[in-house]
Amino acid sequence: MLIKIQIINGPNLNLLGKREPEIYGKMTLEDINIKIKDFCDKKKISVDFFQSNIEGEIVNEIQKLNDQKGRGLIINAAAFTHTSVAILDALSILKIPKIEIHLSNIYKREEFRQKSLISKSVDGIICGFGFESYIYAVDAIDKMIKNGN
Ligand code: DQA
């Protein structure tokens, strides 16, 4: 079965590299996407990338995904993690393996970041490992799909 993963990134992640590098690292989003693509190629997984600063565009992108077998979603909703009922609702409709990721450990940061509204609608959360949070999530989705989850 062909495994196909959609990666969705939220606001300000397009500025990675120059955005608070002491928190988010020096890699650009392009650098991170290349690492993810290389990892997926080795595992023969197909991967697509989407980034938007606009909440409604992220909802639209989630709605484009369907419940087809072999599909998975990795989402870093960035600041919308802490505010968006619309993204939570869109994720709740989708019945494929879904993982929320963050570059930073949100539970080690300001109190307002320690609450994720979207966690309730995902299978798991990976945070605090920098760009490798995405890599671990790819691995987790691969295993979930192969195990029939
Ligand atoms: C983030 C954490 C969020 O709190 C923040 O708003 C981001 C990035 C992360 O990847 O660590 O933009 O999702």
Side-chain angles (χ1 to χ4, degrees), residues 79-130:
F80 294 145
T81 303
H82 318 294
T83 62
S84 181
V85 176
I87 293 176
L88 166 73
D89 287 350
L91 288 171
S92 301
I93 298 163
L94 189 66
K95 304 289 181 229
I96 58 174
K98 292 163 280 183
I99 297 186
E100 168 185 351
I101 81 104
H102 302 282
L103 295 152
S104 63
N105 178 355
I106 56 173
Y107 298 101
K108 226 174 155 183
R109 301 186 59 194
E110 301 98 319
E111 215 177 315
F112 67 88
R113 291 186 205 276
Q114 293 176 21
K115 172 83 193 152
S116 166
L117 292 190
I118 69 170
S119 296
K120 217 176 162 17
S121 63
V122 295
D123 296 291
I125 309 160
I126 298 171
C127 72
F129 299 97

Side-chain angles (χ1 to χ4, degrees), residues 13-66:
L13 293 172
N14 55 315
L15 295 183
L16 285 176
K18 55 183 168 194
R19 173 192 181 202
E20 300 180 277
E22 63 292 353
I23 298 174
Y24 299 115
K26 290 195 185 117
M27 286 167 80
T28 65
L29 188 58
E30 180 68 21
D31 295 334
I32 292 176
N33 289 350
I34 289 169
K35 291 269 189 202
I36 298 169
K37 177 83 174 75
D38 283 352
F39 186 74
C40 287
D41 283 351
K42 283 194 194 110
K43 291 178 95 63
K44 306 222 179 323
I45 294 170
S46 163
V47 63
D48 287 314
F49 301 97
F50 177 81
Q51 188 277 330
S52 177
N53 295 324
I54 300 164
E55 185 178 13
E57 285 186 1
I58 293 172
V59 171
N60 284 344
E61 200 61 24
I62 295 168
Q63 287 188 4
K64 279 189 203 157
L65 299 169
N66 54 39

